[in-house]
Amino acid sequence: MTESLLDTSLLLGRSLRHVARSLDTVITTALMPVAFLLLFVYVFGGAIDTGGVRYVDYLLPGILVITIATGISYTAYRLFLDLSGGLVERFRSLPISRAAVLWAHVLTSVVATSASLVLVVAVALVMGFRPEAGVGGWLAVVGLLGLLTLALSWLAVVPGLLASTAEGAGAFSYPLILLPFVSSAFVPTDTMPTPVRVFAENQPVTAIVDAVRALLAGQPVEADVWVAVAWCAVLLVVAYAAALLVQRRRLG
């Protein structure tokens, strides 16, 4: 166990150095969500009725989910590059834990995405976002977003192992980025046509966004947060099992 943790920490440091030196990664994962935040608040925000809630307060949870979805696309991309470049095969010839390779990529995603989330929240505060959450509320938000990041990072491992091109590895996140647009992330769902509203109100992004929004507003969340946690937990279990299965079939 100790050797596995040491292997993971060394590979994690390597991956984080690659992320820090990749300007396009920083722009896509950190600045694009900020651009979405600025665009929707200052261009569309005045035309959207959120029931008296300031639009930046209403919008931020959805932007945080998009930030996570954007960040994990690079998990699949980096893993694909390690595979196609023969680095993973090289690691297999060395006394390195097999699990360490995947865990290093997943934890790199968690660390890099966390930094992007902090940047987005900081920009939102400058734009007028004023949360009412206490310490417990913030801890719950961090825990829920961390669980979502971990689950989606493991999900990204699957296309990273299966993709035949770098573009294919990175493109899998597009549906995840678009999913918040058909949820309560940007507009209240009661303004949508019935079929779209039914889908929006029963997909995981709406449950997660609504829970984060209520927590940040200091409102009682009741069962909403547990629905969001359940979605994230199920996704994590399924994604982790699928990643290990694909790893065994692809790498033996």
Side-chain angles (χ1 to χ4, degrees):
M1 177 64 77
T2 303
E3 292 181 354
S4 180
L5 290 176
L6 179 59
D7 292 341
T8 301
S9 64
L10 292 174
L11 294 176
L12 172 62
R14 165 188 170 274
S15 293
L16 288 175
R17 286 192 293 275
H18 285 184
V19 171
R21 295 168 183 168
S22 175
L23 181 60
D24 63 320
T25 302
V26 173
I27 291 175
T28 303
T29 60
L31 298 187
M32 281 300 293
V34 170
F36 273 128
L37 182 65
L38 295 170
L39 176 67
F40 275 89
V41 170
Y42 291 129
V43 178
F44 303 115
I48 298 174
D49 181 9
T50 55
V53 179
R54 287 175 300 183
Y55 192 62
V56 66
D57 294 350
Y58 184 90
L59 177 67
L60 182 62
I63 295 296
L64 295 177
V65 173
I66 287 180
T67 303
I68 295 171
T70 304
I72 55 96
S73 67
Y74 279 87
T75 306
Y77 177 72
R78 289 189 295 268
L79 180 56
F80 171 82
L81 291 184
D82 281 354
L83 275 169
S84 60
L87 191 62
V88 174
E89 286 296 324
R90 173 60 177 160
F91 286 155
R92 292 178 65 193
S93 68
L94 299 173
I96 295 176
S97 166
R98 291 187 179 184
V101 176
L102 296 188
W103 270 108
H105 279 287
V106 169
L107 293 178
T108 298
S109 175
V110 172
V111 173
T113 302
S114 298
S116 298
L117 291 173
V118 170
L119 174 63
V120 170
V121 172
V123 172
L125 288 170
V126 173
M127 294 171 64
F129 169 59
R130 294 295 179 264
E132 301 292 337
V135 174
W138 274 106
L139 290 176
V141 169
V142 171
L144 182 56
L145 294 180
L147 184 60
L148 177 63
T149 304
L150 187 62
L152 293 183
S153 297
W154 275 110
L155 184 64
V157 168
V158 177
L161 291 170
L162 293 176
S164 55
T165 64
E167 291 78 10
F172 97 98
S173 67
Y174 292 163
L176 299 177
I177 295 173
L178 294 176
L179 203 55
F181 288 90
V182 193
S183 74
S184 65
F186 294 91
V187 297
T189 56
D190 56 11
T191 64
M192 301 175 181
T194 300
V196 179
R197 178 174 55 78
V198 170
F199 173 79
E201 291 179 346
N202 293 281
Q203 60 123 321
V205 172
T206 292
I208 295 167
V209 165
D210 288 349
V212 171
R213 186 179 290 134
L215 287 166
L216 291 176
Q219 299 173 351
V221 291
E222 299 177 351
D224 291 344
V225 71
W226 298 114
V227 174
V229 170
W231 272 113
C232 293
V234 169
L235 180 60
L236 174 58
V237 171
V238 172
Y240 182 71
L244 295 185
L245 178 62
V246 173
Q247 182 196 32
R248 280 196 296 270
R249 292 186 174 181
R250 174 74 191 272
L251 305 178

